[in-house]
Amino acid sequence: MEDKKIIVRLRGVVKRFDGDVVVNHLDLDIREGEFLTVLGPSGCGKTTTLRMLAGFETPDEGTVELEGKDVVGIPPNERDVNTVFQNYALFPHMTIEDNIAFGLVEKKVPKKEIRERVQEMVKLVRLEGMEKRKPSQLSGGQKQRVAIARALINNPKILLLDEPLGALDLKLRKQMQQELKYLQKKLGITFLYVTHDQEEALLMSDRIVVMHDGRVEQIGTPEEVYNHPKTKYVAEFIGASNLLEGYVTEIEGGRMTFSFEFGKINLKSRGFKMEEMFYLCVRPENLRMSQCPVEHFHIRGRVTEVVFAGSVNRTFVRLVNGQVLRAESQPDVEIYPVGTLVYVYWNPDKCSFLHTQEDQIYDVIEEEIDKTLEEEANVSIDDVLPSE
Amino acid sequence: MKKKNKEALPRGFMIGPAMAWLALFLLLPLGYIVVISFLQKNAYGGVILHFSLASYRSLLHAAYLKVFAESFLLAFETTVLCLLVGYPMAYIIAKSPEHLRAVMVLFMMLPFWINSMIRIYGWSTLLRNQGVINWILIHLGVISQPLGMLYTDGTVLLGMVYDLLPFAVLPMYTSIEKLDPFLLEAASDLGAGKMHTFLKVTLPLTSPGLFAATIQTFIPALGLFYISDMMGGAKKMYIGNLIKNQFLSARNWPLGAALSILLIAVTLFLVGLYSRVGKMEDIV
Ligand SMILES: Nc1ncnc2c1ncn2[C@@H]1O[C@H](COP(=O)(O)OP(=O)(O)OP(=O)(O)O)[C@@H](O)[C@H]1O
Ligand SMILES: [Mg+2]
């Protein structure tokens, strides 16, 4: 995977609108044939990034390389890149057939070949029998397919999709997700896909780029981004997470000790500095509960709410400092009624440690810990060391 | 209670005034003209109450046919020029920043709140041999003899285009403004250059505006008479002049009325065509 050819390379790309920095020194490599998803909140610069790749916007700084060639300044019609627009942007005065054929006609492909390739495409996106219709005579999902076919028929080096499923209802959306993924695999075309639906991103992508304020927060496989978020932002943006604040108190022989309000954990060193602040992140589905202390590191708390959420049960546990943790368990796992005192714990492999950007002084934390200890004398601060 | 009463005003009460207005100022005069066109002329003006098809028959005279042909030609030339000049104007306005558009439209319309005849009169003082333009050119030594600018076919055309241009620009502007910019981006994305994007996307999608502009220029262009009078020196006869003359100087009211009916028929036909195409546009 790693040695796959890099097809798009963005370096130090900056884009400003009216003085506002919208894309901020963005670096991004896209590998040939991958399904790369750009995930981020509204206004973080996803569309702008895509538009710079397509050629509709010119970066103020930095380079955009397509197959090793800087394409800044080259107009969209001279780039081997195609876009699926969010609102489809089908030509309303042309039939479905003519819409799909548009790119090939522009390339002056022979008529006979155009007809064949359009037929092939129509079959691929399952629009047989609709060739002669106008876009206004199609449903949302069908229009979407036309938009995809119209772009794919050109065999672009990379296909840009800007929230292509945004306007579809949930059921159709799920179906189109599968179809898109299938098409991408079958044709082997590189997809750059924009969404702000994290579930969609996790489901479809080979890799995910998490963007925030015009910057890349993290790039990784869905598994990496979900299970090992690098920043607090990523942890909170993708899936729900429980974050516990702490700092490094000991580094010794490749291992280090993390201390936080509820005790200490000794772990393999992970590039933290002495006294550095961090967040310990545990996903709700990895948080376990027990009524008696367990061997693992654990924290005491009280169940405040239990919610049945279809496939999972969601339990909220309040800790002594008032922080509420969220646990999700399968329906077959025992649930504890509201008010129960429980010990929450987790598999040490199933948590991640995040650097914090804030320069907080650990004294403050220590003070707080002391205070909490005084208030709640029965809190268990066991020096439980996880194995491994 | 009060509110309900207000809403429940009888229908007739609402459309009544409009209907009365139509009857009084449109149907009545129209009917009057229709009636006159089938009567006989009185040598001293007015009509004799005697049914006759004479005026319709005389419409087929070669002299009148020539007038029709020349009128259509002038209206056609005017329309083509209005479209050629108006489309780029409409395009520039539609693509300007939003806050400028209203101002630009206002500036384009501004002269047209002054009576058209006064403006045309203004043109003729500019263009005539003793006019400002010739005076400046002679004093600058560019020319020694005044250019005979006024009273040519060209000046009539100029006056017509000048007078009707806003009617061409407005519908085209509306059409171009409605054009989804993403469609242009899509065309460009699919490999079309500027020219192809224009021909394959912009032009077909703004054709309703073009068509409306055509109708809105062609119809008034057929009937305008004072421009050829004032700027053409009434050298050539057009339908408008002909009608005016029948009523005011030739004293042949039935013929004037028959000519008017002809003009109205052509107009109705074009308007019908327009609304047909307008409906088709909904399907596209
Ligand atoms: N043409 C423009 N002129 C001025 N500001 C713009 C322009 N295009 C985008 N912006 C601004 O740049 C920022 C990023 O916009 P962008 O469309 O890239 O966001 P996005 O990540 O795609 O958001 P969304 O998920 O809502 O589509 C926004 O604050 C937006 O208002
Ligand atoms: Mg966007």
Side-chain angles (χ1 to χ4, degrees):
Chain A
M1 272 307 264
E2 290 297 325
D3 47 59
K4 270 252 171 102
K5 199 174 122 196
I6 303 292
I7 194 157
V8 171
R9 195 188 297 271
L10 303 184
R11 283 294 175 270
V13 171
V14 175
K15 180 71 192 177
R16 297 182 201 93
F17 286 119
D18 317 317
D20 287 342
V21 179
V22 167
V23 173
N24 194 354
H25 293 96
L26 187 88
D27 294 335
L28 182 62
D29 286 346
I30 303 176
R31 298 171 190 157
E32 187 161 36
E34 78 173 329
F35 194 120
L36 183 68
T37 299
V38 181
L39 183 63
S42 189
C44 73
K46 305 181 296 288
T47 298
T48 308
T49 305
L50 236 64
R51 291 173 58 81
M52 287 192 284
L53 256 174
F56 300 128
E57 306 280 1
T58 314
D60 295 317
E61 288 171 34
T63 56
V64 178
E65 280 176 25
L66 187 61
E67 292 197 304
K69 203 177 110 215
D70 192 356
V71 292
V72 171
I74 294 183
N77 53 320
E78 289 166 29
R79 296 187 187 196
D80 260 352
V81 174
N82 287 110
T83 308
V84 174
F85 293 84
Q86 178 168 6
N87 54 3
Y88 316 131
L90 301 180
F91 303 119
H93 58 300
M94 294 183 193
T95 60
I96 300 316
E97 211 170 32
D98 291 343
N99 263 282
I100 297 177
F102 196 98
L104 296 185
V105 173
E106 282 306 319
K107 277 191 200 139
K108 302 204 166 54
V109 173
K111 278 219 171 67
K112 187 159 164 285
E113 190 187 332
I114 293 182
R115 219 173 304 126
E116 285 164 11
R117 280 171 67 179
V118 167
Q119 265 317 304
E120 212 174 284
M121 220 56 224
V122 163
K123 216 175 273 164
L124 193 64
V125 297
R126 301 193 288 110
L127 283 171
E128 292 108 321
M130 312 206 171
E131 295 92 334
K132 300 284 179 222
R133 290 201 197 170
K134 292 276 177 71
S136 60
Q137 295 165 296
L138 296 187
S139 72
Q142 290 164 341
K143 280 186 205 161
Q144 182 60 69
R145 293 206 190 93
V146 177
I148 291 164
R150 187 179 70 173
L152 279 178
I153 201 168
N154 303 293
N155 270 323
K157 293 272 169 5
I158 178 166
L159 184 70
L160 310 175
L161 303 102
D162 193 355
E163 302 195 36
L165 310 183
L168 306 180
D169 66 47
L170 191 67
K171 194 164 163 243
L172 196 56
R173 207 181 157 107
K174 298 269 174 229
Q175 186 193 336
M176 286 301 296
Q177 285 173 1
Q178 292 190 345
E179 283 185 29
L180 269 177
K181 185 74 195 155
Y182 165 80
L183 277 175
Q184 192 263 338
K185 278 235 177 79
K186 187 178 156 97
L187 301 172
I189 290 177
T190 315
F191 273 37
L192 182 60
Y193 189 94
V194 164
T195 180
H196 51 228
D197 180 341
Q198 39 144 322
E199 198 187 320
E200 192 168 284
L202 291 170
L203 199 74
M204 299 175 76
S205 324
D206 293 324
R207 289 197 306 155
I208 296 175
V209 183
V210 183
M211 260 184 92
H212 179 217
D213 276 350
R215 287 174 180 279
V216 171
E217 285 274 327
Q218 185 173 355
I219 306 181
T221 62
E223 197 272 336
E224 278 166 2
V225 173
Y226 186 80
N227 287 332
H228 304 288
K230 274 198 192 136
T231 65
K232 182 178 176 226
Y233 183 81
V234 174
E236 286 182 329
F237 189 71
I238 300 185
S241 31
N242 298 299
L243 297 178
L244 298 163
E245 211 173 58
Y247 60 98
V248 182
T249 51
E250 247 182 270
I251 300 182
E252 213 188 292
R255 295 186 76 80
M256 53 188 183
T257 305
F258 289 103
S259 301
F260 53 115
E261 265 178 285
F262 310 98
K264 295 182 162 110
I265 303 181
N266 187 277
L267 272 172
K268 254 197 279 187
S269 181
R270 293 183 194 203
F272 285 89
K273 293 190 294 284
M274 193 63 184
E275 291 179 2
E276 191 180 339
M277 289 273 315
F278 69 91
Y279 285 104
L280 189 152
C281 165
V282 189
R283 296 291 184 189
E285 64 271 25
N286 292 328
L287 205 63
R288 306 260 175 275
M289 287 167 290
S290 158
Q291 266 187 299
C292 39
V294 290
E295 208 185 305
H296 286 302
F297 177 85
H298 57 260
I299 308 173
R300 253 176 60 141
R302 197 182 288 277
V303 176
T304 56
E305 201 184 343
V306 182
V307 179
F308 169 70
S311 55
V312 292
N313 288 314
R314 199 168 288 152
T315 308
F316 294 91
V317 178
R318 193 165 65 230
L319 307 181
V320 287
N321 64 350
Q323 189 180 353
V324 175
L325 301 186
R326 174 167 152 166
E328 277 171 11
S329 54
Q330 297 302 313
D332 54 347
V333 175
E334 186 189 356
I335 53 166
Y336 300 101
V338 173
T340 319
L341 275 173
V342 291
Y343 295 90
V344 296
Y345 63 97
W346 55 88
N347 181 339
D349 294 336
K350 292 282 173 68
C351 69
S352 34
F353 294 88
L354 318 174
H355 296 265
T356 59
Q357 282 93 359
E358 306 102 73
D359 284 327
Q360 273 171 294
I361 315 158
Y362 87 92
D363 290 341
V364 180
I365 310 291
E366 197 151 54
E367 234 169 66
E368 269 174 28
I369 294 177
D370 289 345
K371 219 166 63 197
T372 331
L373 285 178
E374 276 162 32
E375 277 168 17
E376 189 91 33
N378 64 345
V379 78
S380 63
I381 302 205
D382 313 348
D383 284 15
V384 180
L385 302 181
S387 46
E388 205 237 31
Chain B
M1 215 25 211
K2 223 176 166 184
K3 204 176 165 199
K4 207 175 169 196
N5 264 344
K6 226 179 196 169
E7 280 172 1
L9 272 178
R11 261 181 84 96
F13 201 84
M14 310 271 279
I15 38 175
M19 296 304 275
W21 178 275
L22 270 180
L24 195 63
F25 293 104
L26 186 77
L27 295 179
L28 214 62
L30 196 63
Y32 185 56
I33 288 183
V34 172
V35 170
I36 289 180
S37 72
F38 286 109
L39 299 177
Q40 267 177 22
K41 72 165 180 175
N42 184 334
Y44 311 103
V47 287
I48 304 167
L49 280 174
H50 227 287
F51 179 81
S52 150
L53 285 173
S55 42
Y56 284 96
R57 251 183 254 121
S58 59
L59 286 184
L60 296 173
H61 273 278
Y64 292 142
L65 289 180
K66 185 167 169 261
V67 170
F68 301 153
E70 266 169 1
S71 300
F72 273 92
L73 184 66
L74 179 67
F76 177 76
E77 288 169 349
T78 305
T79 305
V80 170
L81 276 177
C82 278
L83 295 185
L84 286 180
V85 177
Y87 196 90
M89 275 176 72
Y91 198 89
I92 290 166
I93 298 176
K95 295 291 166 189
S96 299
E98 213 167 339
H99 59 279
L100 284 182
R101 279 180 228 160
V103 180
M104 292 170 88
V105 171
L106 183 78
F107 271 104
M108 188 185 67
M109 294 302 294
L110 212 53
F112 294 85
W113 287 333
I114 301 167
N115 185 293
S116 154
M117 258 204 254
I118 295 174
R119 282 178 292 117
I120 295 297
Y121 191 73
W123 268 105
S124 60
T125 59
L126 273 180
L127 293 174
R128 68 171 182 238
N129 285 352
Q130 301 80 22
V132 180
I133 295 176
N134 277 315
W135 186 84
I136 292 175
L137 288 179
I138 289 173
H139 281 255
L140 286 177
V142 182
I143 51 173
S144 53
Q145 289 291 310
L147 301 167
M149 287 182 291
L150 208 53
Y151 309 135
T152 64
D153 287 354
T155 13
V156 174
L157 194 56
L158 174 78
M160 299 280 279
V161 171
Y162 165 75
D163 210 38
L164 296 172
L165 192 58
F167 300 101
V169 173
L170 278 183
M172 292 194 289
Y173 160 72
T174 315
S175 221
I176 296 169
E177 198 193 23
K178 266 200 300 196
L179 187 66
D180 179 1
F182 283 114
L183 293 179
L184 306 183
E185 288 193 348
S188 166
D189 190 71
L190 293 166
K194 286 209 162 65
M195 197 62 201
H196 277 195
T197 302
F198 179 76
L199 291 176
K200 290 171 78 172
V201 182
T202 310
L203 203 56
L205 286 176
T206 52
S207 62
L210 268 166
F211 192 71
T214 306
I215 299 287
Q216 292 195 29
T217 341
F218 192 81
I219 292 175
L222 264 185
L224 275 180
F225 61 89
Y226 53 83
I227 293 181
S228 68
D229 276 359
M230 290 160 82
M231 292 178 82
K235 277 193 227 160
K236 250 189 197 160
M237 190 71 90
Y238 298 103
I239 300 184
N241 312 84
L242 196 54
I243 295 175
K244 191 194 80 176
N245 287 349
Q246 296 314 315
F247 281 105
L248 299 184
S249 38
R251 303 267 173 204
N252 189 346
W253 286 20
L255 182 57
L259 283 165
S260 302
I261 300 286
L262 179 75
L263 198 57
I264 289 168
V266 171
T267 305
L268 283 181
F269 172 75
L270 290 175
V271 169
L273 201 67
Y274 175 47
S275 62
R276 276 278 279 285
V277 173
K279 265 189 214 112
M280 262 159 57
E281 187 195 333
D282 290 342
I283 305 166
V284 170

